[in-house]
Each structure stands twice: as C-alpha cells, then as structure tokens.
Amino acid sequence: MCLSDNQGGAPNYYPNSFSCPETQPACLESKFKVSADVARYNSADDDNVTQVRTFFTQVLNEEERQRLCQNMAGHLKGAQLFIQKRMVKNLMAVHPDYGNRVQALLDKYNAEADKNAIRVYSRGGASSITASKI
C-alpha cells in the first residue's frame, strides 16, 4: 500500500528517459561470496529482432499484422514524441513495414492531439514529484 503520492505519476524504474528515481546507496545489492562461475550476463549484443521479424512476417496474417500495429500505436500515442520515435526506430529494425505502419498510425493520432507538449518532472517538496507542461 502506497502512503505517499507515488511519485506523482513519474517513472518509478531506472534507467528511464527522465533520469529519476536516482540510485539510492542504502539500497545497493548486498555483497556475498560466490564461485568464480557467477557473473552478470551482458545482453547488449543479443539479437533482439530476428524472432520478432519471423513472427511478424511468417506467423501473422495481414489482419493480425494490422491489429498488432494498431495495438502498438494505440499504446504509444500517449507517450512523448521522443519515446515514440525511439520505439518506431526499434520496430523498423524488426521490419520496415512494421515500423512504417505504426508510424503512420502515430502520425494520425498525433495530428488529432497536441503531442508536442513536453512534460518536465520536478520535485515540488520533500517527496512529491509534479508534472508540468511547457
């Protein structure tokens, strides 16, 4: 149960696109001894598109592709433009048609609403975070 304003709608995960919340030194992982076989896995060079590309091109039919694109755009339409662009770039890496379809739908949604507003999260008090439109 949350007894505060729950960060006023700001992202509560890190890293995120808004640089908060910050790392808390008191909450760092505890140290413990392990064998030499244990290490963190670096996933930076993993192939994150081939499986999705196969799904989009070979598993889904045309109607299902359209619904997928509508679903993606519908969930992205409330995001800020730079986040929308980042996601479309990821979808273009999967398949150009996937990215183009989602971009076309986002263009339609963005024409209907003012999506050029930038919301800045700032600390208003001891623990409150407010969103303001610039």
Side-chain angles (χ1 to χ4, degrees), residues 70-90:
Q70 290 170 340
N71 193 332
M72 291 295 290
H75 287 287
L76 284 169
K77 70 182 179 182
Q80 293 184 27
L81 287 176
F82 78 97
I83 293 174
Q84 291 178 5
K85 289 177 183 180
R86 184 185 306 158
M87 187 61 196
V88 168
K89 181 180 175 185
N90 289 337

Side-chain angles (χ1 to χ4, degrees), residues 25-129:
C27 299
L28 293 176
E29 293 179 23
S30 60
K31 295 179 183 178
F32 54 94
K33 293 192 182 274
V34 295
S35 69
D37 297 272
V38 178
R40 290 198 178 266
Y41 177 72
N42 182 3
S43 62
D45 62 348
D46 282 354
D47 176 9
N48 295 310
V49 298
T50 301
Q51 186 177 19
V52 182
R53 182 181 302 122
T54 301
F55 178 73
F56 185 77
T57 60
Q58 298 176 18
V59 175
L60 298 179
N61 63 35
E62 182 56 34
E63 185 179 297
E64 292 167 332
R65 284 187 203 114
Q66 187 59 32
R67 283 198 313 264
L68 176 64
C69 293
Q70 290 170 340
N71 193 332
M72 291 295 290
H75 287 287
L76 284 169
K77 70 182 179 182
Q80 293 184 27
L81 287 176
F82 78 97
I83 293 174
Q84 291 178 5
K85 289 177 183 180
R86 184 185 306 158
M87 187 61 196
V88 168
K89 181 180 175 185
N90 289 337
L91 297 176
M92 293 292 265
V94 170
H95 194 277
D97 187 43
Y98 192 9
N100 288 330
R101 287 183 189 206
V102 172
Q103 183 63 63
L105 290 165
L106 287 172
D107 291 344
K108 176 184 164 192
Y109 291 140
N110 291 340
E112 296 170 0
D114 176 23
K115 298 314 273 182
N116 291 321
I118 299 173
R119 288 167 179 72
V120 177
Y121 293 95
S122 60
R123 296 196 183 278
S127 66
S128 68
I129 296 179

